[in-house]
């Protein structure tokens, strides 16, 4: 498998649109999307890294133009220039080299990114990391089943004037918004995420305005949006434990939801009439534990904004502790007490389970109610696969394998 390369973001230097179009044409010509979906099976619509791992397992059998693409972007192998030219084209190779997706050394090409086919788009992403328990997870720029939850929830919204993606990461959601909104704005504080989103938008033939800035500063001057998407940090991590990308994953406040509340408040101020915001997070649960968003609900209701939480299941703290420990084991070498530390943290907080939710915020109107119901149907049964079945397939909720009988948690 390829390794994460520290490629410097290249700003706006994407070269000609023809180069990106040549990449898209080559991928379509090779049949990569069909091959990837067939290789992934049911996981294709629900779990990026399970899909990718399954494709890796059969990539060596690919033939024709598909072989060079699978070698470069799925197996992470070096490929000679002549084979790469047969798989892609001169224009596509030039564009990929110009934008740091491919590197050339000693007469061979390597990819700094892996490639997935997802419902409706091609997606270049950082090479995943294999954890100590053998699961693939995001190594830097966030991509998980949560990303696919969002994609399923966005689909029923239909055509909208303006869309906002808060924390664009790989660009998977910015791509979707760009296909349904007249204007799309995507923001992230990580320059690599901006670069990666820009590359993916170009490869898929779509456009969004990408802003490298904090969402607090950016939204203050952007006006109203008809669709707002956000996955703010909410994970609870014990003190003294290093966790991947803490700024975008680890929550703040006594219940980890301070950033969620801030995003809810911001979204309420920037949501257009009949607009909706979709926000993904986990809530800490226990019998008798009060609603952590009660005050937020009341405040928003007084402003004519409705908040609906769509439950995506229930995750036992012991299962989540094991998953979170596996996600950060490589950052905490020599510590065999990671899972126990997470369990102790949850126990000290009185938490018995976690509830993943999609929070749907709407501003008035029967159209908003209809859209909210459509989102709920898609969220509860993404691509026709009930969530109970998705979990039974063994895929976790952040890209890897869970246990067949227990819903796995989010990293």
């Amino acid at each position: 498998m390829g390794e994460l390369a520290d490629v410097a973001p290249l700003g706006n230097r994407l070269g000609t649109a023809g180069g990106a179009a040549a990449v898209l044409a080559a991928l379509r010509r090779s049949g990569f999307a069909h091959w990837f979906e067939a290789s992934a099976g049911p996981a294709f619509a629900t779990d990026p890294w399970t899909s990718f791992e399954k494709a890796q397992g059969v990539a060596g059998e690919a033939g024709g133009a598909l072989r060079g693409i699978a070698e470069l972007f799925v197996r992470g192998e070096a490929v000679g220039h002549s084979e790469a030219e047969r798989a892609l084209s001169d224009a596509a190779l030039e564009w990929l080299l110009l934008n740091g997706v491919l590197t050339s050394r000693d007469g061979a090409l390597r990819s700094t990114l892996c490639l997935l086919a997802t419902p409706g788009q091609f997606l270049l992403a950082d090479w995943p990391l294999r954890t100590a328990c053998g699961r693939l997870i995001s190594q830097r720029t966030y991509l998980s089943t949560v990303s696919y939850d969002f994609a399923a929830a966005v689909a029923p919204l239909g055509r909208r004037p303006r869309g906002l993606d808060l924390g664009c990461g790989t660009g998977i959601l910015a791509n979707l918004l760009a296909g349904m909104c007249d204007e799309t704005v995507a923001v992230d504080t990580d320059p690599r995420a901006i670069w990666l989103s820009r590359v993916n938008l170009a490869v898929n033939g779509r456009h969004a305005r990408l802003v490298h800035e904090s969402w607090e500063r950016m939204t203050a001057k952007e006006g109203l949006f008809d669709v707002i998407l956000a996955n703010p940090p909410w994970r609870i991590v014990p003190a003294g434990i290093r966790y991947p990308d803490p700024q975008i994953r680890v929550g703040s406040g006594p219940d980890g939801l301070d950033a969620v509340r801030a995003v809810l408040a911001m979204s309420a101020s920037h949501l257009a009439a009949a607009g909706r915001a979709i926000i993904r997070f986990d809530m800490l649960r226990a019998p008798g534990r009060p609603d952590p968003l009660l005050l937020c609900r009341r405040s928003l209701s007084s402003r004519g904004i409705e908040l609906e939480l769509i439950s995506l299941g229930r995750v036992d703290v012991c299962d989540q502790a094991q998953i979170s420990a596996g996600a950060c084991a490589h950052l905490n070498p020599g510590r065999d007490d990671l899972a126990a530390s997470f369990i102790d943290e949850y126990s000290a907080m009185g938490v018995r389970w976690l509830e993943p939710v999609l929070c749907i915020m709407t501003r008035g109107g029967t159209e908003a109610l209809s859209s909210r119901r459509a989102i709920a149907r898609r969220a509860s049964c993404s691509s026709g696969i009930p969530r109970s079945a998705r979990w039974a397939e063994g895929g976790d909720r952040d890209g890897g394998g869970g246990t067949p009988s227990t819903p796995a948690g989010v990293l």
Side-chain angles (χ1 to χ4, degrees), residues 1-4 32 35 52 55-62 66-85 87-88 93 96-97 101-115 127-128:
M1 185 188 298
E3 296 181 356
L4 178 67
F32 180 86
W35 169 81
F52 185 75
Q56 272 193 325
V58 297
E61 303 168 11
L66 180 60
R67 179 177 179 81
I69 293 173
E71 289 288 310
L72 273 171
F73 298 108
V74 180
R75 298 187 69 188
E77 300 291 340
V79 171
H81 279 262
S82 58
E83 183 178 357
E85 287 171 2
L88 296 159
L93 287 179
L96 291 167
L97 285 163
V101 178
L102 294 181
T103 60
S104 178
R105 183 177 179 183
D106 299 329
L109 297 171
R110 282 188 179 272
S111 178
T112 64
L113 302 171
C114 66
L115 176 67
W127 290 98

Side-chain angles (χ1 to χ4, degrees), residues 315-345:
V315 183
D316 183 79
V317 293
C318 292
D319 298 323
Q320 181 60 58
Q322 292 289 342
I323 292 164
S324 295
C328 66
H330 63 292
L331 298 177
N332 300 272
R335 290 198 57 169
D336 56 6
D337 64 337
L338 290 174
S341 296
F342 278 95
I343 292 174
D344 290 345
E345 186 76 9

